[in-house]
Amino acid sequence: MKIAVYPGSFDPITCGHLDIIKRSCKLFDKVIVAVLDNSQKTPLFSVAERIQLIKKCTKDIPNCEVESFGGLLVDFVKQSKAHTVIRGLRAISDFEYEFQMAMLNKKLAPDVETVFMVTNLNCLYISSSVVKEICRFGGNADGLIPEEIIKDITDKIEKGV
Ligand code: PNS
């Protein structure tokens, strides 16, 4: 069984993330979306909220699972019996950080491969940070965040609920 891990902060999940999830689920038997639980970061959405949002928009993808992880990514990958890390690449500006991370993970765990997927053209400009900013100022987030979670996200940002 070919299992891949798609890690990230997902604060919150965007249409770009969902596109990578859908496409990678066609390539692997199982894809585990791994939400980083990092006490040193102060995300807008708690780990539980981020997991719930991802589950809501991946409920129709049978080979997609959502979990959280702390510590080193490669340890979570091994513990999940996976051998592949999936990352999306939007632009050349992503590359330097992604390349460093892939090399470090390779050094830590030579058996773990990083597979980069090029983001779809219509998602190239989307990031969780811009989504939060647009929602904070009441902008239209259609096409930026999955439809089924737009209300959850705007409610949280506007009303803090
Ligand atoms: O969505 P992000 O914030 O770009 O995701 C980054 C993430 C979670 C993939 C990365 O920070 C990570 O893997 N963190 C776990 C700690 C780790 O393994 N660090 C060593 C490799 S850089």
PDB file of all heavy atoms in Angstrom, residues 7-9 36 41 69 71-73 87 97 101 104-105, ligand 1:
ATOM      1  N   PRO A   7       1.940  17.281   4.679  1.00  0.00           N
ATOM      2  CA  PRO A   7       2.002  18.060   5.929  1.00  0.00           C
ATOM      3  C   PRO A   7       1.822  19.554   5.688  1.00  0.00           C
ATOM      4  O   PRO A   7       2.081  20.057   4.591  1.00  0.00           O
ATOM      5  CB  PRO A   7       3.436  17.790   6.392  1.00  0.00           C
ATOM      6  CG  PRO A   7       4.206  17.700   5.113  1.00  0.00           C
ATOM      7  CD  PRO A   7       3.281  17.148   4.071  1.00  0.00           C
ATOM      8  N   GLY A   8       1.410  20.239   6.737  1.00  0.00           N
ATOM      9  CA  GLY A   8       1.328  21.687   6.637  1.00  0.00           C
ATOM     10  C   GLY A   8       0.707  22.293   7.870  1.00  0.00           C
ATOM     11  O   GLY A   8       0.295  21.585   8.792  1.00  0.00           O
ATOM     12  N   SER A   9       0.643  23.618   7.850  1.00  0.00           N
ATOM     13  CA  SER A   9      -0.005  24.323   8.956  1.00  0.00           C
ATOM     14  C   SER A   9      -1.519  24.375   8.731  1.00  0.00           C
ATOM     15  O   SER A   9      -2.287  24.342   9.687  1.00  0.00           O
ATOM     16  CB  SER A   9       0.543  25.750   9.076  1.00  0.00           C
ATOM     17  OG  SER A   9       1.932  25.718   9.255  1.00  0.00           O
ATOM     18  N   LEU A  36       0.234  20.395  11.420  1.00  0.00           N
ATOM     19  CA  LEU A  36       1.291  20.658  12.402  1.00  0.00           C
ATOM     20  C   LEU A  36       0.724  21.231  13.694  1.00  0.00           C
ATOM     21  O   LEU A  36       0.008  22.226  13.692  1.00  0.00           O
ATOM     22  CB  LEU A  36       2.314  21.644  11.820  1.00  0.00           C
ATOM     23  CG  LEU A  36       3.470  22.008  12.755  1.00  0.00           C
ATOM     24  CD1 LEU A  36       4.374  20.812  13.003  1.00  0.00           C
ATOM     25  CD2 LEU A  36       4.271  23.168  12.199  1.00  0.00           C
ATOM     26  N   LYS A  41       4.094  28.318  17.482  1.00  0.00           N
ATOM     27  CA  LYS A  41       3.367  29.180  16.557  1.00  0.00           C
ATOM     28  C   LYS A  41       2.027  29.529  17.177  1.00  0.00           C
ATOM     29  O   LYS A  41       1.498  28.775  17.984  1.00  0.00           O
ATOM     30  CB  LYS A  41       3.124  28.442  15.232  1.00  0.00           C
ATOM     31  CG  LYS A  41       4.296  28.495  14.274  1.00  0.00           C
ATOM     32  CD  LYS A  41       3.848  28.007  12.901  1.00  0.00           C
ATOM     33  CE  LYS A  41       4.948  28.072  11.880  1.00  0.00           C
ATOM     34  NZ  LYS A  41       4.495  27.560  10.571  1.00  0.00           N
ATOM     35  N   PHE A  69       0.223  16.268  13.930  1.00  0.00           N
ATOM     36  CA  PHE A  69       1.530  15.741  14.347  1.00  0.00           C
ATOM     37  C   PHE A  69       2.340  16.839  15.020  1.00  0.00           C
ATOM     38  O   PHE A  69       2.151  18.018  14.756  1.00  0.00           O
ATOM     39  CB  PHE A  69       2.300  15.130  13.161  1.00  0.00           C
ATOM     40  CG  PHE A  69       3.003  16.140  12.276  1.00  0.00           C
ATOM     41  CD1 PHE A  69       4.379  16.345  12.373  1.00  0.00           C
ATOM     42  CD2 PHE A  69       2.295  16.905  11.359  1.00  0.00           C
ATOM     43  CE1 PHE A  69       5.030  17.282  11.570  1.00  0.00           C
ATOM     44  CE2 PHE A  69       2.935  17.848  10.545  1.00  0.00           C
ATOM     45  CZ  PHE A  69       4.298  18.030  10.655  1.00  0.00           C
ATOM     46  N   GLY A  71       6.585  17.443  16.637  1.00  0.00           N
ATOM     47  CA  GLY A  71       7.934  16.895  16.480  1.00  0.00           C
ATOM     48  C   GLY A  71       8.343  16.864  15.026  1.00  0.00           C
ATOM     49  O   GLY A  71       7.848  17.641  14.209  1.00  0.00           O
ATOM     50  N   LEU A  72       9.242  15.927  14.725  1.00  0.00           N
ATOM     51  CA  LEU A  72       9.781  15.883  13.366  1.00  0.00           C
ATOM     52  C   LEU A  72       8.814  15.217  12.395  1.00  0.00           C
ATOM     53  O   LEU A  72       8.239  14.163  12.688  1.00  0.00           O
ATOM     54  CB  LEU A  72      11.103  15.121  13.356  1.00  0.00           C
ATOM     55  CG  LEU A  72      12.322  15.825  13.957  1.00  0.00           C
ATOM     56  CD1 LEU A  72      13.537  14.910  13.914  1.00  0.00           C
ATOM     57  CD2 LEU A  72      12.622  17.138  13.236  1.00  0.00           C
ATOM     58  N   LEU A  73       8.709  15.823  11.227  1.00  0.00           N
ATOM     59  CA  LEU A  73       7.823  15.280  10.195  1.00  0.00           C
ATOM     60  C   LEU A  73       8.228  13.847   9.812  1.00  0.00           C
ATOM     61  O   LEU A  73       7.378  12.964   9.679  1.00  0.00           O
ATOM     62  CB  LEU A  73       7.869  16.197   8.957  1.00  0.00           C
ATOM     63  CG  LEU A  73       7.167  15.687   7.724  1.00  0.00           C
ATOM     64  CD1 LEU A  73       5.677  15.528   7.962  1.00  0.00           C
ATOM     65  CD2 LEU A  73       7.425  16.619   6.545  1.00  0.00           C
ATOM     66  N   ARG A  87       4.450  17.958  -1.156  1.00  0.00           N
ATOM     67  CA  ARG A  87       4.397  19.402  -0.938  1.00  0.00           C
ATOM     68  C   ARG A  87       3.981  20.063  -2.246  1.00  0.00           C
ATOM     69  O   ARG A  87       4.345  19.609  -3.333  1.00  0.00           O
ATOM     70  CB  ARG A  87       5.779  19.931  -0.509  1.00  0.00           C
ATOM     71  CG  ARG A  87       6.219  19.475   0.859  1.00  0.00           C
ATOM     72  CD  ARG A  87       5.477  20.122   1.993  1.00  0.00           C
ATOM     73  NE  ARG A  87       5.851  21.527   2.170  1.00  0.00           N
ATOM     74  CZ  ARG A  87       5.220  22.334   3.009  1.00  0.00           C
ATOM     75  NH1 ARG A  87       4.193  21.903   3.734  1.00  0.00           N
ATOM     76  NH2 ARG A  87       5.584  23.598   3.134  1.00  0.00           N
ATOM     77  N   TYR A  97      12.860  27.435   0.291  1.00  0.00           N
ATOM     78  CA  TYR A  97      12.439  26.856   1.579  1.00  0.00           C
ATOM     79  C   TYR A  97      12.102  25.374   1.414  1.00  0.00           C
ATOM     80  O   TYR A  97      12.510  24.526   2.220  1.00  0.00           O
ATOM     81  CB  TYR A  97      11.230  27.655   2.078  1.00  0.00           C
ATOM     82  CG  TYR A  97      10.493  27.062   3.253  1.00  0.00           C
ATOM     83  CD1 TYR A  97      11.123  26.885   4.479  1.00  0.00           C
ATOM     84  CD2 TYR A  97       9.148  26.692   3.136  1.00  0.00           C
ATOM     85  CE1 TYR A  97      10.436  26.358   5.558  1.00  0.00           C
ATOM     86  CE2 TYR A  97       8.450  26.158   4.210  1.00  0.00           C
ATOM     87  CZ  TYR A  97       9.103  25.992   5.415  1.00  0.00           C
ATOM     88  OH  TYR A  97       8.423  25.466   6.471  1.00  0.00           O
ATOM     89  N   MET A 101      13.948  22.123   3.110  1.00  0.00           N
ATOM     90  CA  MET A 101      13.188  21.182   3.937  1.00  0.00           C
ATOM     91  C   MET A 101      13.326  19.752   3.400  1.00  0.00           C
ATOM     92  O   MET A 101      13.529  18.806   4.160  1.00  0.00           O
ATOM     93  CB  MET A 101      11.716  21.615   3.936  1.00  0.00           C
ATOM     94  CG  MET A 101      10.983  21.225   5.167  1.00  0.00           C
ATOM     95  SD  MET A 101       9.523  22.223   5.406  1.00  0.00           S
ATOM     96  CE  MET A 101       8.569  21.845   3.990  1.00  0.00           C
ATOM     97  N   LEU A 104      16.804  18.464   4.247  1.00  0.00           N
ATOM     98  CA  LEU A 104      16.922  18.149   5.677  1.00  0.00           C
ATOM     99  C   LEU A 104      16.200  16.840   5.991  1.00  0.00           C
ATOM    100  O   LEU A 104      16.728  15.976   6.706  1.00  0.00           O
ATOM    101  CB  LEU A 104      16.338  19.269   6.525  1.00  0.00           C
ATOM    102  CG  LEU A 104      17.198  20.518   6.670  1.00  0.00           C
ATOM    103  CD1 LEU A 104      16.384  21.657   7.254  1.00  0.00           C
ATOM    104  CD2 LEU A 104      18.409  20.226   7.552  1.00  0.00           C
ATOM    105  N   ASN A 105      15.014  16.694   5.427  1.00  0.00           N
ATOM    106  CA  ASN A 105      14.254  15.461   5.666  1.00  0.00           C
ATOM    107  C   ASN A 105      14.980  14.257   5.078  1.00  0.00           C
ATOM    108  O   ASN A 105      14.962  13.163   5.646  1.00  0.00           O
ATOM    109  CB  ASN A 105      12.833  15.593   5.093  1.00  0.00           C
ATOM    110  CG  ASN A 105      11.968  16.500   5.958  1.00  0.00           C
ATOM    111  OD1 ASN A 105      12.208  16.650   7.155  1.00  0.00           O
ATOM    112  ND2 ASN A 105      10.977  17.124   5.358  1.00  0.00           N
TER     113      ASN A 105
HETATM  114  O1  PNS B   1       2.271  24.804   5.741  1.00  0.00           O
HETATM  115  P1  PNS B   1       3.694  25.018   6.196  1.00  0.00           P
HETATM  116  O2  PNS B   1       3.717  25.900   7.412  1.00  0.00           O
HETATM  117  O3  PNS B   1       4.573  25.518   5.076  1.00  0.00           O
HETATM  118  O4  PNS B   1       4.243  23.565   6.625  1.00  0.00           O
HETATM  119  C1  PNS B   1       5.536  23.423   7.150  1.00  0.00           C
HETATM  120  C2  PNS B   1       5.766  22.022   7.759  1.00  0.00           C
HETATM  121  C3  PNS B   1       4.692  21.692   8.758  1.00  0.00           C
HETATM  122  C4  PNS B   1       5.730  20.996   6.648  1.00  0.00           C
HETATM  123  C5  PNS B   1       7.183  22.033   8.418  1.00  0.00           C
HETATM  124  O5  PNS B   1       7.280  23.131   9.275  1.00  0.00           O
HETATM  125  C6  PNS B   1       7.486  20.757   9.210  1.00  0.00           C
HETATM  126  O6  PNS B   1       7.630  19.698   8.648  1.00  0.00           O
HETATM  127  N1  PNS B   1       7.569  20.876  10.539  1.00  0.00           N
HETATM  128  C7  PNS B   1       7.841  19.780  11.433  1.00  0.00           C
HETATM  129  C8  PNS B   1       9.237  19.892  12.052  1.00  0.00           C
HETATM  130  C9  PNS B   1      10.305  19.258  11.183  1.00  0.00           C
HETATM  131  O7  PNS B   1      10.233  18.113  10.799  1.00  0.00           O
HETATM  132  N2  PNS B   1      11.361  20.050  10.855  1.00  0.00           N
HETATM  133  C10 PNS B   1      12.503  19.551  10.106  1.00  0.00           C
HETATM  134  C11 PNS B   1      12.375  19.713   8.635  1.00  0.00           C
HETATM  135  S1  PNS B   1      12.370  21.406   8.147  1.00  0.00           S
END
